[in-house]
Structure formats: C-alpha cells, structure tokens
Amino acid sequence: MTEDVAGRLAVTLDLDGVTDKTDFMERCVRALELPDWFGRNWDALADSLGDPSVWPAAAVEKGLLVVVTGWRTYAKARPDEWEIAQDVFTQAVDRTSALSVVLALGA
C-alpha cells in the first residue's frame, strides 16, 4: 500500500523523557493543540485523533501526519500503556483517511 502524505501538516509528538500516561497525555495536548476540555484518557485521545475539527487549524484541509519521536523509553517503562497508545493510533488511522501516525526510529 502506498499513500502520499507529502501535503499533510506534520506535527512532532516528542515523547523523550515520558515515563507514564499523565506525561504522555500532556505531550499529546501540546503537540496536537488539543482543547482545554480534552479528557486526558485513551478514549478522548482516540476521539480527538479521529476528529479533524479538533486538529490544528492547518491540518483540517491538508490532513495530519503525527511523527512520534523519543517513544522507546516510554515503551520500556510502561509496555502495557504503550500497547494501548499504539492501538489508539492504529484505530484512529484506520478510521480517518486524512490521518497518518509514524514512529520515528533512532535516538
């Protein structure tokens, strides 16, 4: 499968130093510019990723590319939470054609 994501708004979700769900959700709030009423739980994240009306304004027409960096520490510290996060990303991408999430490898 090939998908052109070149025109999408790229947002970096930097998880460097994140070791728990609270920190993870706060990084999501900042990177994705989520509204004040965002619930900071897995269901709220899934809903927000799948709802272009809460994406950064430039992404509404272009689509959204979320580049997740620095995720390995969190994945090792909280493997169960990381598995849920990956499921949330996967389900949101499967439901929303204008959304892509990639995990960056490296330091």
Side-chain angles (χ1 to χ4, degrees), residues 22-67:
T22 300
D23 290 343
F24 176 85
M25 290 295 170
E26 287 306 314
R27 297 287 178 96
C28 289
V29 167
R30 282 185 267 159
L32 300 170
E33 301 174 16
L34 295 172
D36 292 338
W37 49 261
F38 173 70
R40 290 169 174 75
N41 60 61
W42 299 118
D43 289 335
L45 181 59
D47 291 345
S48 296
L49 286 170
D51 182 359
S53 73
V54 298
W55 292 356
V60 174
E61 287 187 27
K62 296 172 142 185
L64 181 62
L65 170 63
V66 180
V67 180

Side-chain angles (χ1 to χ4, degrees), residues 10-103:
V11 173
T12 300
L13 174 57
D14 181 8
L15 300 181
D16 187 41
V18 170
T19 58
D20 63 24
K21 180 181 171 188
T22 300
D23 290 343
F24 176 85
M25 290 295 170
E26 287 306 314
R27 297 287 178 96
C28 289
V29 167
R30 282 185 267 159
L32 300 170
E33 301 174 16
L34 295 172
D36 292 338
W37 49 261
F38 173 70
R40 290 169 174 75
N41 60 61
W42 299 118
D43 289 335
L45 181 59
D47 291 345
S48 296
L49 286 170
D51 182 359
S53 73
V54 298
W55 292 356
V60 174
E61 287 187 27
K62 296 172 142 185
L64 181 62
L65 170 63
V66 180
V67 180
V68 184
T69 63
W71 55 271
R72 288 184 175 191
T73 300
Y74 180 53
K76 288 177 184 174
R78 303 287 178 124
D80 293 342
E81 289 178 12
W82 179 242
E83 186 173 335
I84 295 168
Q86 289 180 90
D87 287 343
V88 167
F89 292 146
T90 299
Q91 291 175 23
V93 167
D94 287 347
R95 288 189 330 263
T96 312
S97 62
L99 173 68
S100 294
V101 177
V102 298
L103 304 180

